[in-house]
Amino acid sequence: MAVGSDIVTPELVGKHQFDELLDPSFDATHYAHELVRSRDTMELKADKISSIMTDLSATSSSLDARMRATVLGTHEQILEQVLGVASVDVTLEQVEDQVREIKQYMHALRTKIRVPYEQALEYTRQARNLQLATRHVRATSKFMQLVRRLAVQIPESGGRPDYALAALTLVDIERLVDTSDLCGIDVVDRALATEVTPRRQQTANEANEMLVGGMRRQHQSDVGSGLQILFNLGIISNAVDTRIQASIAALHTIITGRIDPRALHIGVREHNARATAIDGRDMVGIDTILWTRLEDMIDAVLASGLEVRVLERVLQRKRDVLRVDARVDASYLDVVASKLGDRVLALWWTKVVDTIAREIHASCDESSVVRQILTNNYPRLVQLFLPRLEPLLAARLGGVTSVRDLQSSVASVLISDEDTGCAGDVDLAQSPNVRYSDWGMRVLWTRLLSVFEAEYVNKAASRMDDSVSRCFPAPPPAGLVDAQSTWAQRHNTKSDELQAVSTVPNRKLVASVVRSVGTELEMAKSDARLCTMVARAATRAISSFVATTKDRLLSVMDNPRVVDPCAATAHPMTRSVIGLINCVEALRVGISELCQPADQPLTAPAQSVLCTCRDELQTFINAQSDVLLNAADRAISQALLDVDNSSLWSHAEHALQWLQTQVLEPLDPRRSSRVHTMTDSYLTLFVHTVCVTMPLTETAKLRLASELPQLEFACSQAASTMGVRVTGDAYKSVRQMRPLLFMTSRELAQVLGERSAEWSSVSELDLLNHVVCRVATEEEAACVPHELLGCSRREWLGCVAGSEFVESTDVCRNKEMLHLWDTRNLSASCRAVVCECLKRMLEHKLADDLVALIQAALSMK
């Protein structure tokens, strides 16, 4: 017998020997067999079984006692629950009776409500059907009224039909049929088939005829009437699109194959076969036939374009004022453009240009002759479209405008000057109203003209570059160079002279560069964009000319003797330098004449490009000529500053002669201002040198007096070469210095005291320096100026002469003169130093006339 786990007691659980017996998988038979088979003795087995049986019996008794106690303890609770269940059964029976009564009441109430509701639904259904029938009757009645009105507006015989009002009636009929379900009504179907459909077709045909006839005759009233009818019919977008496509198809038929190379050759043969002139002057070539057929194509495009332009103008003016829901500011053109994607003329023009461009490009790809004709005559190609197509392309005249173009204008998106070639100026001389920024011209240039323009500009640039390269040919081969050297030795010609001849380009070739640039600009003058691009190409060609010239100048000037004014003989390559500068000057003069032509001025952008090029040439000329002028200026100034030399003039004479004969006379550029400044500085330097010459003996006075007119004459000759006269304070100072040299100390003191206007040209500092040299010469032992000031002779010259003689870093290094020196006022500082020297001279014992001279100099204002 197995013991279940549900009767386990605390006593049994506490005993470990019953664990095996309490296992759910316990098998009593197996347990008994195991117990019998054990190796224990019979007595132990009997005791073990007896013990187990005793425990089981005790446990069974314990369980029986517990079960009895449990039943007795829960008997009262069970009785109470039984009584509760009985009361619940009674309550449930009462609830069931009440529910049954409620159901009966609800059934009666439902009967009272449902019958009126179903009657109301029936009445509503009947009313809806009646309303629907009334609506159909009303729609049918209105339909018949509209049909009768349509019959009056478009009578079958007699009377003048009013197609505009008939179109409105047809639109009302269509709207009524679409919104009302009139299908299946015999009277409606019969009226649609016999009355409405034929009159609608008649109205649409009449509107198309009015539209086509008005466009052909350029009659805006007919076009407007036709558009009004089509708009009322609601088919205006489809009708306009049909007209555009028909125009494009007609032009496509005319254009396609018209300039095919084979067709052009056939045309040439047919025309020449009909030629009758003996000398053949009425025979033509392929270019004549090509341009003739292109002109015919453009004429056809113009005729068709004018028709489309009239259509767009009327579309733009017409507005829907009859419909209540229509926008007041919306025109027919806005309606059509919203359906077609662009404005009518812009859409037509874009497709026509595509057709023309495709035909021309195909012909050029097939024949290089056609491409060459169109490229070489690009200005004529532009003039082929303009001014013929100006009414179509000029936006300000009502030409092609696009929705995208208007949007970009509103967004302030402008075409740059680099794209258009110019801004604020007329783009095309033959068509002042057309600009490259206009939509029509932009489409034409982008899809057709841009390729030929680029090729034409490249060829023009190549022609100008060729004219420049002819000015500077490639060096001869080695054998020819040896032959030239042999020829030079045979004819006693120096190699430098032969090199000078080959370095400078021929002036005629330089003139050919200017002519080439002028010819290209003249051909492109009618097109501002093209003219500007040619001007830029000309600027690049001239820049290459200047670069080559600069390289040759650098190679020539590598030899220092070329720009040496003090050389015994002038170097032949000096003339080569002048020749190269003169070539650039000739080029500059030619470009200046092109900037302001006499007959027809260039466009503002092209003129600006050429003026910039001219200014750059002028800058180059000034820079290169300044190299020669600076070399001469340094040599002459250095010779005049050499106050220790016994003869000032002998060193400067050679440099002045070199400046006049080797530079100024052959030099074409007018450097008048620079030469005038140089001669004035030489005269001023010489006067300063005279004033600081010491000792100022009688021999020195005679020498200086003879050199003054020589310098004056030399400077006058050099200045006259540039058309300048030597005048001014420096010239007057030189003229007045001569008599001062031969005055006595008393006479000089009187001049200083009076300081009349006659001697006003000589500066006060020069007079003071002259007094110092006079006193130092007569009192040489005691009154040496630089010894009185405690400085070297170089420092003294720098202090008394100022910055014209020495660099500012060499002026006044002596500590005793630092308190007299003010770098902000050089003239006052020099005067202070000279006055200090005169005051120190007074400390020595001098003659009375010298004392009076010094006092007159110190009191001079």
Side-chain angles (χ1 to χ4, degrees):
M1 176 179 178
V3 181
S5 60
D6 53 344
I7 59 173
V8 177
T9 62
E11 291 80 359
L12 292 177
V13 175
K15 295 180 179 180
H16 298 288
Q17 61 270 25
F18 297 113
D19 290 342
E20 186 176 1
L21 301 176
L22 296 177
D23 190 359
S25 59
F26 174 75
D27 187 1
T29 304
H30 179 73
Y31 182 77
H33 283 292
E34 291 293 332
L35 185 62
V36 171
R37 293 175 183 176
S38 62
R39 296 181 180 181
D40 296 333
T41 60
M42 294 300 293
E43 292 79 5
L44 289 176
K45 292 179 181 179
D47 292 339
K48 189 173 181 180
I49 292 172
S50 298
S51 176
I52 291 174
M53 293 301 292
T54 301
D55 292 336
L56 288 175
S57 176
T59 302
S60 175
S61 300
S62 177
L63 283 174
D64 187 35
R66 284 181 176 276
M67 289 177 64
R68 187 180 296 108
T70 300
V71 171
L72 292 177
T74 59
H75 181 264
E76 296 297 333
Q77 295 179 358
I78 293 172
L79 290 177
E80 291 178 358
Q81 291 177 0
V82 170
L83 293 176
V85 171
S87 63
V88 169
D89 290 339
V90 174
T91 302
L92 287 176
E93 290 178 357
Q94 295 176 357
V95 171
E96 185 178 358
D97 294 338
Q98 293 176 358
V99 169
R100 189 179 299 109
E101 292 177 358
I102 291 173
K103 286 183 178 181
Q104 293 175 356
Y105 175 77
M106 290 299 298
H107 179 71
L109 182 62
R110 180 172 176 270
T111 303
K112 293 180 181 180
I113 294 175
R114 182 176 180 179
V115 173
Y117 173 73
E118 291 178 351
Q119 292 177 354
L121 288 179
E122 183 65 24
Y123 294 153
T124 303
R125 188 179 302 107
Q126 293 175 1
R128 184 164 53 253
N129 294 334
L130 180 60
Q131 183 181 6
L132 184 60
T134 304
R135 187 182 303 167
H136 279 78
V137 171
R138 187 183 295 111
T140 305
S141 176
K142 186 177 181 180
F143 175 81
M144 297 308 298
Q145 291 178 1
L146 292 175
V147 170
R148 285 193 294 271
R149 185 195 304 173
L150 180 62
V152 173
Q153 293 170 348
I154 305 178
E156 294 182 357
S157 61
R160 183 177 181 180
D162 191 348
Y163 291 104
L165 295 179
L168 291 175
T169 304
L170 288 170
V171 171
D172 293 338
I173 291 174
E174 289 181 359
R175 188 181 297 114
L176 180 60
V177 172
D178 292 338
T179 56
S180 301
D181 187 11
L182 300 180
C183 297
I185 302 176
D186 295 337
V187 64
V188 173
D189 294 340
R190 186 167 53 255
L192 287 175
T194 59
E195 300 289 339
V196 177
T197 303
R199 284 179 170 81
R200 177 180 177 81
Q201 186 63 36
Q202 181 181 353
T203 303
N205 294 337
E206 184 65 23
N208 285 323
E209 290 178 2
M210 295 173 63
L211 180 61
V212 174
M215 292 174 58
R216 186 182 302 110
R217 297 188 304 270
Q218 301 288 303
H219 199 285
Q220 296 187 11
S221 298
D222 292 346
V223 176
S225 300
L227 290 176
Q228 182 68 54
I229 296 172
L230 293 172
F231 181 80
N232 294 337
L233 291 176
I235 58 174
I236 185 172
S237 299
N238 295 332
V240 170
D241 186 37
T242 302
R243 290 309 313 153
I244 294 175
Q245 297 302 328
S247 176
I248 294 173
L251 289 176
H252 184 271
T253 304
I254 296 173
I255 294 172
T256 303
R258 186 67 176 169
I259 57 173
D260 184 75
R262 290 182 293 273
L264 293 175
H265 287 293
I266 293 173
V268 171
R269 287 196 298 269
E270 292 177 353
H271 184 279
N272 292 337
R274 295 191 300 268
T276 58
I278 300 176
D279 55 356
R281 62 177 178 272
D282 56 349
M283 300 183 68
V284 298
I286 189 174
D287 54 343
T288 305
I289 300 298
L290 174 62
W291 291 113
T292 302
R293 295 192 175 186
L294 285 175
E295 291 174 359
D296 295 339
M297 290 166 50
I298 299 305
D299 291 339
V301 170
L302 176 61
S304 180
L306 292 176
E307 296 179 1
V308 179
R309 189 185 70 164
V310 170
L311 175 61
E312 182 174 290
R313 285 186 175 182
V314 178
L315 284 170
Q316 190 170 8
R317 292 172 182 169
K318 295 285 290 183
R319 281 171 170 77
D320 184 15
V321 296
L322 297 178
R323 298 184 183 180
V324 179
D325 57 345
R327 287 175 48 195
V328 179
D329 58 340
S331 63
Y332 289 0
L333 183 59
D334 297 331
V335 176
V336 174
S338 63
K339 295 293 183 60
L340 301 183
D342 204 346
R343 309 186 76 156
V344 175
L345 191 56
L347 186 63
W348 174 87
W349 175 249
T350 302
K351 294 184 178 180
V352 169
V353 171
D354 288 340
T355 303
I356 297 175
R358 186 164 52 251
E359 183 68 19
I360 291 179
H361 290 323
S363 180
C364 292
D365 294 339
E366 194 171 343
S367 174
S368 60
V369 176
V370 176
R371 177 180 293 277
Q372 185 175 2
I373 292 173
L374 295 178
T375 302
N376 294 340
N377 298 274
Y378 173 73
R380 183 177 178 181
L381 181 62
V382 176
Q383 294 173 3
L384 182 68
F385 293 93
L386 297 169
R388 293 189 182 187
L389 300 183
E390 183 174 356
L392 301 180
L393 298 180
R396 64 178 65 181
L397 299 180
V400 180
T401 54
S402 175
V403 175
R404 293 186 293 269
D405 190 34
L406 295 176
Q407 292 173 352
S408 63
S409 299
V410 172
S412 299
V413 179
L414 303 178
I415 296 182
S416 62
D417 297 347
E418 190 70 22
D419 294 334
T420 59
C422 62
D425 195 6
V426 176
D427 288 358
L428 298 158
Q430 69 271 20
S431 298
N433 295 313
V434 179
R435 284 181 168 83
Y436 275 100
S437 57
D438 294 339
W439 177 262
M441 195 62 195
R442 205 184 315 171
V443 171
L444 179 62
W445 183 85
T446 303
R447 306 191 181 190
L448 177 60
L449 298 180
S450 58
V451 177
F452 298 103
E453 181 189 68
E455 292 180 0
Y456 178 83
V457 173
N458 291 335
K459 285 192 175 183
S462 177
R463 288 191 290 268
M464 290 184 288
D465 291 338
D466 291 342
S467 64
V468 171
S469 62
R470 285 194 295 270
C471 296
F472 302 99
L480 183 57
V481 173
D482 296 338
Q484 289 178 349
S485 302
T486 304
W487 182 88
Q489 294 175 0
R490 185 182 304 168
H491 293 80
N492 297 324
T493 303
K494 297 181 179 180
S495 59
D496 290 341
E497 296 178 358
L498 187 62
Q499 183 182 0
V501 174
S502 61
T503 300
V504 181
N506 193 328
R507 297 294 288 271
K508 293 183 179 180
L509 296 177
V510 177
S512 68
V513 175
V514 178
R515 286 196 303 272
S516 176
V517 173
T519 301
E520 298 297 340
L521 290 174
E522 184 67 26
M523 294 180 62
K525 189 181 294 184
S526 60
D527 189 342
R529 177 188 179 86
L530 180 63
C531 188
T532 304
M533 297 181 69
V534 171
R536 290 171 181 163
T539 301
R540 292 191 292 269
I542 293 173
S543 299
S544 65
F545 183 95
V546 172
T548 306
T549 303
K550 186 176 182 179
D551 293 339
R552 294 202 172 191
L553 286 172
L554 292 176
S555 62
V556 170
M557 291 183 182
D558 284 342
N559 187 354
R561 293 179 57 247
V562 174
V563 290
D564 185 10
C566 300
T569 58
H571 198 278
M573 295 301 293
T574 305
R575 289 299 182 97
S576 297
V577 175
I578 299 297
L580 290 171
I581 296 175
N582 290 340
C583 288
V584 180
E585 172 65 13
L587 200 58
R588 186 197 67 81
V589 172
I591 296 300
S592 300
E593 294 176 354
L594 293 177
C595 290
Q596 297 292 339
D599 51 353
Q600 183 180 357
L602 297 175
T603 59
Q607 189 172 355
S608 175
V609 172
L610 291 181
C611 289
T612 303
C613 178
R614 178 196 61 192
D615 297 340
E616 292 176 354
L617 291 177
Q618 185 64 59
T619 303
F620 176 80
I621 292 169
N622 293 341
Q624 299 303 323
S625 58
D626 282 344
V627 175
L628 301 174
L629 296 178
N630 291 338
D633 190 35
R634 286 193 300 269
I636 297 171
S637 300
Q638 189 62 35
L640 296 178
L641 288 174
D642 192 4
V643 297
D644 293 331
N645 199 319
S646 60
S647 178
L648 300 176
W649 171 245
S650 59
H651 290 81
E653 180 181 14
H654 187 73
L656 274 170
Q657 185 178 4
W658 183 86
L659 173 64
Q660 178 182 350
T661 59
Q662 299 296 321
V663 179
L664 298 181
E665 288 181 356
L667 187 65
D668 290 342
R670 299 290 91 187
R671 303 301 307 277
S672 304
S673 177
R674 175 66 191 279
V675 172
H676 187 271
T677 304
M678 291 170 60
T679 53
D680 279 356
S681 66
Y682 300 154
L683 296 174
T684 303
L685 285 177
F686 192 80
V687 170
H688 289 172
T689 305
V690 170
C691 295
V692 296
T693 299
M694 192 192 72
L696 194 60
T697 61
E698 293 298 326
T699 303
K701 292 179 181 180
L702 292 175
R703 177 178 56 79
L704 293 175
S706 64
E707 291 175 352
L708 280 173
Q710 295 180 29
L711 177 63
E712 176 188 343
F713 178 76
C715 290
S716 177
Q717 289 295 319
S720 63
T721 307
M722 292 284 108
V724 180
R725 295 183 60 186
V726 180
T727 56
D729 294 339
Y731 176 74
K732 295 177 181 179
S733 179
V734 171
R735 299 295 297 270
Q736 293 176 359
M737 181 55 66
R738 191 184 303 113
L740 290 177
L741 292 174
F742 298 99
M743 289 183 180
T744 61
S745 299
R746 189 182 301 278
E747 293 173 344
L748 185 59
Q750 184 178 359
V751 169
L752 297 178
E754 296 176 355
R755 193 76 166 104
S756 61
E758 181 182 358
W759 309 100
S760 60
S761 297
V762 182
S763 66
E764 180 183 353
L765 184 61
D766 291 338
L767 292 175
L768 292 175
N769 288 332
H770 184 63
V771 171
V772 170
C773 293
R774 282 287 189 96
V775 176
T777 300
E778 297 189 14
E779 299 292 337
E780 185 177 358
C783 296
V784 179
H786 59 275
E787 293 180 357
L788 291 175
L789 297 175
C791 60
S792 64
R793 177 177 173 80
R794 179 69 175 175
E795 292 175 342
W796 170 67
L797 290 175
C799 291
V800 299
S803 61
E804 292 90 347
F805 285 80
V806 294
E807 298 293 336
S808 60
T809 55
D810 295 332
V811 176
C812 192
R813 294 179 179 177
N814 189 269
K815 296 181 180 180
E816 295 184 8
M817 294 182 289
L818 288 178
H819 68 283
L820 303 173
W821 199 260
D822 184 8
T823 56
R824 295 172 296 179
N825 193 343
L826 183 61
S827 178
S829 301
C830 293
R831 186 183 185 283
V833 172
V834 176
C835 291
E836 180 66 21
C837 182
L838 291 174
K839 291 177 183 178
R840 295 189 181 187
M841 285 182 174
L842 287 176
E843 297 176 359
H844 295 77
K845 187 177 181 180
L846 302 175
D848 294 340
D849 55 347
L850 295 180
V851 173
L853 178 61
I854 293 175
Q855 291 176 350
L858 292 175
S859 62
M860 183 175 53
K861 295 183 181 180

